[in-house]
Each structure stands twice: as structure tokens, then as C-alpha cells.
Amino acid sequence: MKLSDVVAFVGHQVHVCRYREAGTLLDWMGRDLRGKRVLDVAGGDGYWAGQTVRRGAWAVSIDLARKKMLYGRTLAHPPALIECDALRLPFRDGSFDAILSVCAIEHFDDGGRSLDEMARVLAPGGELFMSADVLSRADAWPKLRDAHKAKYHVQHTYTHETLGKLLDERGMDLVRHSYQFRTAAAERLYLSLSAYGGRVGFNAAAPLTPLVALADRGAPNDRGSIVLLHARKRSA
């Protein structure tokens, strides 16, 4: 294994959020992706799209962060990496069987426009696997909330209900959803790591992942810090 793959593994999977978040979306997508055309929207270095390549998919990752994408080309299972705007995807209608998007929509000025584009390039019957910031209780800690939004350029937050409505308007049906960091203590941890954890805060907190997962299982699946969704485009 190359050093770049080790660094990418640590950066993406030794992480109190991303390991469960992206891992769950990939589990929903399936273990055998042979013959599938997958698009990762705002995929950075393409690491998670690369995991679909390992499962047999033909995958494309798009982003505007050229430095990250250049790094992604050095990984063992790189997808095709294309520098472009998620609000103006350079693909034909119905080009993909599945779309992955890990906590990206909250950074877009126009989340609805990004969903327009995802729905357009998704084939009828195709599936969308995405996550988004919710921050259900963030108003209880305004300083932490504001620090998180400023640090990660969060423009909007969403729930499974608001996203479900946006998806329905674009011809997609919500199949399932799941919240993470569901309890008040877990959400405060999430915001505190974001505000004060520095560049490696979420990575350093990776040992807490089992405890957060256990707390999530014991809490109602109706609010939290992050929401995961699986949707399907209606057939024509």
C-alpha cells in the first residue's frame, strides 16, 4: 500500500463522523457495484468514489478543489476526477445509475439547484445516497454553531423532511433516512470538535465512534447533527 493510501485511509476512515457516515451510505449502495455508473458530487480527492471502484463500479468524482483532486490521482483506486461546478454538471441526462454526496449540499448557495442537476444526470430508477448537516439543537449553543458554520462554510442546514420535499419536487422518492449524533450530548460533542478540534479534531476523536453509535441506537431517529438519505428517481 502506498503512503498516499495510508494517509487517505487515516484522514477519511479514522474519523468520528465520516467512517460511519460514508460507510453507511456505501452499505446502502451495496457491496457488488459491477456495471454501475457512479457519480460522487463534491467528492474532494475522490476517496469515497474510489471505494465504489473497489466494488466494481465505473465512478466519477467532481469537485472544484484542484489540489485535492491531484492528490486523489495518486491513490490506488482513483475514480475519474473532473474539476467542475456541482451546480452545472457537464454530463448528459441519465448518465449515472447512482449518485453519492457526502455532506456537500449544505455548502452550496443553492442546494435546490444542486439537486436539480443530480436528478437530471441520474437515470430513471437510479439511486441517490447523500448526507447533510442538520444541527437540530445547534441554537442551544450559538457560539459553537456559528463557529462550525464559519469554519466549514455551511450555507444551509436540512432535515430528512425538508430534503424529502425537495427530492419529491424533482421526481425522487425518499427510501430511508438515518440521523447521526442524535442525542444532545453527542451533538454538542460534534459542534465542539468542529469549533475547537483543529484540523485533526474529528480524527483524534475516532475512538469515541462506538460510544456515539451506541447512543444513536438508543435515541429516536428524528434529529441529530447529520442526516443520511437514500432516494430513488421515479421511472419515466
Side-chain angles (χ1 to χ4, degrees):
M1 182 179 289
K2 297 186 295 185
L3 178 60
S4 57
D5 289 290
V6 174
V7 172
F9 177 88
V10 172
H12 290 281
Q13 299 216 35
V14 183
H15 196 289
V16 73
C17 302
R18 297 291 182 256
Y19 173 75
R20 279 203 308 141
E21 179 184 2
T24 298
L25 295 175
L26 289 171
D27 285 346
W28 288 352
M29 192 177 292
R31 299 298 305 177
D32 186 355
L33 299 177
R34 286 175 293 181
K36 295 287 187 180
R37 302 164 297 169
V38 176
L39 173 66
D40 188 358
V41 174
D45 60 14
Y47 178 84
W48 295 114
Q51 301 310 298
T52 72
V53 173
R54 294 184 65 184
R55 299 180 184 195
W58 176 80
V60 178
S61 178
I62 67 102
D63 206 289
L64 288 172
R66 179 175 295 185
K67 186 175 181 181
K68 289 183 180 180
M69 298 175 77
L70 290 173
Y71 179 78
R73 292 178 183 173
T74 70
L75 302 180
H77 301 280
L81 293 151
I82 298 177
E83 183 179 356
C84 68
D85 189 343
L87 306 187
R88 297 176 181 83
L89 295 174
F91 308 112
R92 293 179 180 176
D93 296 359
S95 296
F96 296 94
D97 303 301
I99 294 178
L100 175 69
S101 186
V102 181
C103 263
I105 190 172
E106 65 265 27
H107 306 301
F108 302 143
D109 291 334
D110 190 344
R113 177 68 181 274
S114 72
L115 290 175
D116 286 339
E117 285 292 274
M118 291 186 218
R120 180 183 65 78
V121 303
L122 193 60
E127 296 176 297
L128 170 65
F129 304 87
M130 68 179 297
S131 57
D133 263 7
V134 186
L135 310 181
S136 298
R137 302 178 181 86
D139 289 347
W141 310 291
K143 290 183 179 179
L144 296 179
R145 175 201 63 205
D146 293 347
H148 171 80
K149 287 188 171 183
K151 185 175 180 180
Y152 290 100
H153 310 290
V154 174
Q155 305 298 314
H156 306 281
T157 56
Y158 300 89
T159 67
H160 75 283
E161 293 169 326
T162 58
L163 279 172
K165 184 175 185 296
L166 290 171
L167 292 168
D168 177 64
E169 292 168 351
R170 289 157 177 82
M172 289 188 279
D173 296 316
L174 185 62
V175 176
R176 53 185 157 179
H177 75 275
S178 181
Y179 284 87
Q180 294 188 348
F181 295 84
R182 297 178 187 175
T183 67
E187 184 153 1
R188 185 164 189 172
L189 169 67
Y190 177 82
L191 290 170
S192 297
L193 288 170
S194 175
Y196 303 123
R199 291 186 62 186
V200 297
F202 286 113
N203 304 95
L208 298 175
T209 301
L211 294 177
V212 175
L214 182 63
D216 282 353
R217 284 196 293 271
N221 187 28
D222 59 2
R223 58 180 173 173
S225 297
I226 300 169
V227 65
L228 286 61
L229 297 107
H230 171 198
R232 183 175 293 113
K233 184 173 179 178
R234 296 174 201 134
S235 297

